[in-house]
Amino acid sequence: MRFDVFCSLAQTPRPGGLPEHATILREFLDQAMLADELGYECVWVAESHFSSEVQKRHQHPVIPHWTGEVGVNTDICQLAPRVFDRTSRVDVGSAILNIVAGGGPVVAAERVATALAWHGLDPAERRRLRIGFAGGRFEFIARTTGITPRGAWEAAGWRQVKQALLWEAGEVFVRLLRGETLAAQDVAERWLGHGDFPDAEAFEHVASLAGVAGEQRVRVPRRWDFEATKIVPDRRADLLRLYAGTHDAGLQTHLNQFRPVRAFNLSITPPAVIEATHERLAGAYNLDGGKWQRSYLPRTTFVFLDASAGASRATRRERAQRHAREALAAYWQAMEGTLDERRVADAVGNALVGAPEDIAEQIVARFHPDDRLMLWFDFFPRDGRQVLIAMEEFRHRVVPLLRDAEFGGHEIAHA
């Protein structure tokens, strides 16, 4: 089993108020250096853009109840060198890089290529840049950078159009990073059919607005129009790993026609979806990447660990559960403005919560021994020191309990 760390770099309320942005950045670097020291394999970093406080004034705010900033990392290509300069073993990953907004896939591919060229100048360098990419979660970021409907029919089918844009952007991004010389016309246009919409009425409404009433599909014109292009400088392909941040089975398979593209999971995903993804990519994964492995699908999980000395296991469990309920309740209120106790309870039930012994038992019960877990320690923290303590306690108190554990009859060989 492999363990990574996920860092949100979010500005959220603490007992002393909102921390300064510089404090969050410094705390992140401390976490990255400790992750390297403790043997975590990768530090995955969330990306956000523009002030979520200011977007609350928009005509259609996306997260009107969030206090602070959703995230203060805007560019993995500037952040990663800061980590690599301070560490010796740990990889750095984006979770996720938005390849639709902010200039689109050509610009994104060039930035990644440039970062890799500098990173790989030392022939002895082995640490990888792991790029999780997708279309972004928050609509205000897309709108701010010009990704908006181009007419009434796109507005009516905007959710489906955005997915078509991700197909287009994903192919451009992957093929340019493969080293191809590519023009927009080399990328097939996307078409939307009945199966892309919740019901026939929704599709027929969009088709009518698009002027193709009675047809079986609607063409989505290309968003990015460019002549033959190749990105420079040259870079070492062995230092790059790509992860598609989508559960779209067709897109996962499509991208693997061009180069190995793994999958990225950043949500509480039903186990059936996880297993279906493994089964599908076992057959679709590009052969240049070797045989598909379960560790190629990192799985995010919240960690609320209490390993305080001198307290009983029951007391530590109760304190961790209380912290989990408080943090997750604050999150859902910030995201939606209401508190859904059932949703909070479900989230706590899916997190790793309790004393070290509890968390080890939960990992054994829920995960496969070959899984890769992205451990989310900095979720609504009380302070930065708390995150460092939890990272250390997990490595020293939880992992040793897993070395001899059995997962459904499978004994862990490496933890």
Side-chain angles (χ1 to χ4, degrees):
M1 179 167 282
R2 300 178 181 276
F3 297 109
D4 299 341
V5 175
F6 173 77
C7 298
S8 63
L9 276 75
Q11 183 192 43
T12 56
R14 298 183 182 181
L18 285 173
E20 294 182 354
H21 296 173
T23 297
I24 297 169
L25 296 175
R26 291 189 187 101
E27 289 178 351
F28 163 72
L29 289 176
D30 289 341
Q31 293 160 23
M33 288 186 289
L34 183 60
D36 184 63
E37 177 186 329
L38 293 173
Y40 290 101
E41 294 195 10
C42 183
V43 175
W44 297 89
V45 190
E47 174 188 299
S48 189
H49 296 276
F50 316 119
S51 172
S52 44
E53 279 291 330
V54 172
Q55 68 84 38
K56 291 195 281 191
R57 308 176 202 163
H58 292 185
Q59 184 176 0
H60 302 290
V62 177
I63 40 174
H65 308 288
W66 187 280
T67 299
E69 301 296 347
V70 167
V72 296
N73 168 51
T74 64
D75 189 353
I76 191 67
C77 296
Q78 295 189 57
L79 177 146
R82 300 280 183 168
V83 175
F84 289 137
D85 285 347
R86 291 164 171 80
T87 59
S88 59
R89 296 180 295 177
V90 73
D91 293 349
V92 179
S94 60
I96 52 74
L97 169 64
N98 189 327
I99 62 169
V100 173
V106 178
V107 172
E110 183 184 52
R111 285 170 43 225
V112 171
T114 301
L116 282 169
W118 284 108
H119 179 54
L121 284 180
D122 181 356
E125 183 61 71
R126 292 294 178 268
R127 292 169 296 172
R128 295 181 179 90
L129 188 59
R130 300 178 182 269
I131 298 295
F133 62 93
R137 178 177 184 181
F138 297 118
E139 185 67 21
F140 77 91
I141 295 173
R143 291 199 302 259
T144 303
T145 58
I147 303 300
T148 56
R150 293 169 287 189
W153 83 263
E154 283 199 356
W158 186 230
R159 184 177 69 83
Q160 290 77 18
V161 171
K162 284 194 298 182
Q163 188 61 16
L165 297 185
L166 179 57
W167 273 71
E168 180 185 352
E171 181 173 337
V172 171
F173 182 71
V174 167
R175 292 178 68 178
L176 286 176
L177 284 173
R178 184 189 184 191
E180 290 189 41
T181 296
L182 189 72
Q185 64 184 15
D186 299 326
V187 179
E189 290 182 308
R190 292 289 299 162
W191 296 78
L192 299 177
H194 287 83
D196 296 301
F197 291 83
D199 52 52
E201 183 179 356
F203 170 75
E204 289 163 5
H205 175 61
V206 166
S208 177
L209 290 173
V212 290
E215 298 291 335
Q216 296 301 305
R217 58 182 190 166
V218 178
R219 182 177 66 89
V220 182
R222 294 186 186 91
R223 174 69 59 152
W224 296 279
D225 186 14
F226 55 95
E227 295 184 73
T229 300
K230 180 180 174 67
I231 52 175
V232 297
D234 292 333
R235 58 274 171 200
R236 286 173 50 190
D238 62 308
L239 298 183
L240 176 65
R241 296 290 183 272
L242 293 179
Y243 297 76
T246 175
H247 289 304
D248 186 326
L251 181 53
Q252 290 172 349
T253 300
H254 178 68
L255 294 177
N256 269 285
Q257 295 179 65
F258 308 107
R259 63 166 293 161
V261 179
R262 303 174 183 184
F264 186 87
N265 170 56
L266 187 56
S267 61
I268 299 171
T269 306
V273 175
I274 294 290
E275 296 309 315
T277 302
H278 282 301
E279 183 176 352
R280 177 173 57 257
L281 288 176
Y285 188 56
N286 190 291
L287 293 178
D288 288 345
K291 184 179 179 181
W292 175 259
Q293 300 180 36
R294 289 187 68 93
S295 63
Y296 293 172
L297 174 62
R299 300 182 61 177
T300 316
T301 181
F302 302 118
V303 180
F304 300 97
L305 170 62
D306 191 314
S308 305
S312 68
R313 178 177 175 181
T315 298
R316 288 176 285 158
R317 179 189 303 131
E318 192 279 329
R319 285 197 299 234
Q321 289 174 339
R322 183 169 62 247
H323 179 204
R325 287 192 297 270
E326 291 171 353
L328 288 160
Y331 172 77
W332 286 118
Q333 281 194 300
M335 292 299 290
E336 298 183 355
T338 59
L339 183 60
D340 185 333
E341 293 289 354
R342 184 172 61 180
R343 176 172 266 176
V344 172
D346 288 344
V348 172
N350 281 292
L352 298 174
V353 184
E357 299 88 345
D358 299 316
I359 288 180
E361 290 172 0
Q362 292 160 16
I363 291 174
V364 170
R366 299 177 196 169
F367 298 103
H368 188 280
D370 296 329
D371 280 343
R372 177 186 294 273
L373 302 189
M374 290 184 292
L375 305 171
W376 194 344
F377 295 104
D378 77 337
F379 183 80
F380 280 68
R382 298 188 182 104
D383 57 68
R385 179 62 186 161
Q386 173 198 29
V387 177
L388 300 177
I389 292 172
M391 289 172 60
E392 195 161 7
E393 294 290 356
F394 186 95
R395 197 35 123 166
H396 293 320
R397 300 285 300 278
V398 176
V399 172
L401 296 175
L402 297 173
R403 288 201 174 102
D404 299 321
E406 290 191 3
F407 289 62
H410 300 278
E411 186 173 307
I412 285 190
H414 168 73

